[in-house]
Amino acid sequence: MSDLLHDCLFLKAARCEPTPRVPMWIMRQAGRYMKEYREVRSKVTFLELCKRPDLATEVTVTAQRVLEVDAAILFADLLPILEPMGFDLEYAQGEGPVIHNPLKSAADVDRVRTLENLDSMHFVFDTVRQCRRELPADIPLLGFAGAPFTLASYVIEGAGSRSYVRTKTLMHSDRAAWGVLMERLIESLERYLKAQIEAGCQAVQVFDSWAGCLSPRDYAEYVQPYTKRLIAAVSPHAPVINFVTGNPALLGLQAEAGGQVIGIDWRSDLADVRRQLGPKRAVQGNLDPVTLFGPQDQLKRQVKSVLESGRGPGHIFNLGHGVLPETPEDNVKALVHMVRELSAV
Amino acid sequence: MSDLLHDCLFLKAARCEPTPRVPMWIMRQAGRYMKEYREVRSKVTFLELCKRPDLATEVTVTAQRVLEVDAAILFADLLPILEPMGFDLEYAQGEGPVIHNPLKSAADVDRVRTLENLDSMHFVFDTVRQCRRELPADIPLLGFAGAPFTLASYVIEGAGSRSYVRTKTLMHSDRAAWGVLMERLIESLERYLKAQIEAGCQAVQVFDSWAGCLSPRDYAEYVQPYTKRLIAAVSPHAPVINFVTGNPALLGLQAEAGGQVIGIDWRSDLADVRRQLGPKRAVQGNLDPVTLFGPQDQLKRQVKSVLESGRGPGHIFNLGHGVLPETPEDNVKALVHMVRELSAV
């Protein structure tokens, strides 16, 4: 890695080294709220955009340039990895993703294929290489993947869920089948994330977007051991951001699962999180994305509050979740300037 | 109140007095998972069932009798109070409640009517009186209402929401209008809850079902002061269960808002909650309702874990949220027996 990249704000903060200001990026920064993104997206479907390295690169690089944020994040999605694992994935118009052949019983787990060969995901690595060529030399590129629980929920529920009844019931009723599913997921995810790093990502984020539906007991028993093994395998190669949303009470277990950076949502009190994790663990977050819909004076108050709560080396500013599609674009740009200005030492 | 009621398991536990076993009831125990309920419900709409004291009493009393739980909870709903406050409420088939005239702007708050006269809610108090006559003499009857934030969200969003953009935006952009709305809600709710107690309820639960979408900062600033005033006004008359779901990080603020009993969902670690609240505050919860879909040996392990975490006077066993409609009824009955057997000293 070049010195410019090694010493960029984001990676310094991930190592808990002091930085002249707080680095920031925004989850889903290349997204529908942005005019340049919508223009590209209007020509292709969502899945086509994921699979076309030229276009995926364009939206990735444009978002970083337009916003002037301190990291780019690969434009991709959590779910395409499930296709070579044997699932029939569709992004239905206005309805979010659907898996047409979800796992209906523990016996179904047998048909899940571990991803041995990464050829089918070449579009992701092509995008990484092309982004790395086009991004400024001091801007890190982040890769990402879904955490094993979040992907397991998708393949069991077949779509979004309110209560995760099918996922939890399989988990509770057949520990062996659950274990096989989680093993196949972490083996696939380990290869996938390492290949993103090898292609040129400076760090990766593991999204456990749905783990917040779990009690601490269930997370500890059925999820954390797998997430921990995945992160242990990947984090020697590049910093891992371990992001969990939806349940602040999982923090201690989440931290034990590893990751140089702990990503949290806005439900947590960032000052409490910093106290609990101590000065040697970087934290990423945690402005409520909905704050971006309100007036800018209120936005500024909330940004100040997040920065004060996060104070000290090892804070990476972000939203607590992805920026929402209808967010006013001007407020997103204003947010970047506020963080830049208010956090400068 | 009779001595039998005063010394019932539920009220002793609410006062943190020792009990020979842990008392329990189940949120939404009179619900669709139960055959007797479905039979009554098949003859009328949901709103008719709420407004017919004979039928509402029947399902309330039947659920307590069939399950042999230690409290009955009034069959009613959070939203009918909004009708006399000026909202046009409909329970659309299979879609959940809809408000046809939600608040679209801060100026709209002016049209919200404070509930001065309770005549329009007579069906609730009639149900309370009839239930009290029909319930066993040692079984307390619980009343309830929505917390001000949850009701404010409903009247602003008009229906369920994923991100609460409209609610939070109004809250952040017009503090005065937000304050007026919350004042009118707490004044109405205070009268409503006191009238339930006067009609014969031994305790009441305040449901903040949606507060979990808030950051601790926003909860502290925009919600807690109102909830606190409501609970302070009601709790001298009967124990209040202050139930918040969706965000364990709100616990400290929730506890400060008052309520003899703190109700928590399954996302929290009950042992941590007990430590944080100390031995003088009763806690209600917190089995994940989805556990009821799995095998009974797993259910038993989880019940044991909840009971061990809750140990000591002042634990009221409950689910962490309402029992789900598709829950196997036999498992609900088995749960009651498990708690009874495993918690006996």
Side-chain angles (χ1 to χ4, degrees), chain B residues 215-253:
Chain B
S215 65
R217 183 199 157 100
D218 276 353
Y219 181 82
E221 186 163 348
Y222 298 101
V223 177
Q224 197 219 38
Y226 302 99
T227 304
K228 192 171 184 169
R229 278 170 52 197
L230 173 64
I231 294 176
V234 175
S235 60
H237 303 274
V240 172
I241 307 164
N242 174 4
F243 175 65
V244 173
T245 175
N247 187 357
L250 299 180
L251 179 69
L253 294 162

Side-chain angles (χ1 to χ4, degrees), chain A residues 161-344:
Chain A
S161 171
R162 230 181 124 78
S163 304
Y164 302 89
V165 169
R166 301 184 58 208
T167 305
K168 290 179 181 177
T169 304
L170 191 148
M171 189 174 93
H172 287 152
S173 56
D174 195 327
R175 174 187 295 269
W178 177 258
V180 170
L181 173 59
M182 292 296 268
E183 296 276 352
R184 291 182 189 179
L185 284 166
I186 62 172
E187 204 178 313
S188 306
L189 289 165
E190 178 186 333
R191 286 204 180 98
Y192 180 50
L193 286 167
K194 282 181 177 169
Q196 291 183 28
I197 295 165
E198 206 167 307
C201 288
Q202 280 66 53
V204 293
Q205 176 155 319
V206 175
F207 282 84
D208 220 346
S209 312
W210 289 1
C213 72
L214 295 168
S215 66
R217 183 199 156 98
D218 277 352
Y219 180 83
E221 186 163 350
Y222 298 100
V223 177
Q224 197 218 37
Y226 302 99
T227 304
K228 191 171 184 170
R229 278 170 53 197
L230 173 64
I231 293 176
V234 175
S235 60
H237 302 274
V240 172
I241 307 164
N242 174 4
F243 175 66
V244 173
T245 176
N247 187 355
L250 300 180
L251 179 69
L253 295 162
Q254 174 190 0
E256 277 173 34
Q260 285 86 339
V261 182
I262 294 299
I264 60 169
D265 76 15
W266 70 93
R267 291 178 185 84
S268 297
D269 181 310
L270 177 57
D272 282 349
V273 170
R274 294 281 274 171
R275 264 191 296 278
Q276 196 173 330
L277 298 183
K280 292 187 179 159
R281 196 69 169 276
V283 175
Q284 176 179 285
N286 76 340
L287 185 76
D288 184 349
V290 180
T291 317
L292 288 165
F293 288 80
Q296 292 195 3
D297 59 337
Q298 175 66 224
L299 177 61
K300 195 164 191 169
R301 284 181 62 214
Q302 301 248 5
V303 169
K304 272 186 192 164
S305 164
V306 170
L307 288 170
E308 277 161 25
S309 305
R311 76 169 70 225
H315 179 212
I316 296 162
F317 190 97
N318 207 321
L319 303 181
H321 207 294
V323 56
L324 292 160
E326 297 80 16
T327 305
E329 192 175 349
D330 284 349
N331 284 354
V332 181
K333 291 176 177 165
L335 168 66
V336 178
H337 288 111
M338 286 175 194
V339 174
R340 207 172 262 271
E341 182 195 331
L342 294 169
S343 77

Side-chain angles (χ1 to χ4, degrees), chain A residues 4-15:
Chain A
L4 267 176
L5 272 176
H6 182 267
D7 292 333
C8 72
L9 292 179
F10 173 88
L11 288 174
K12 280 174 93 103
R15 296 189 298 264

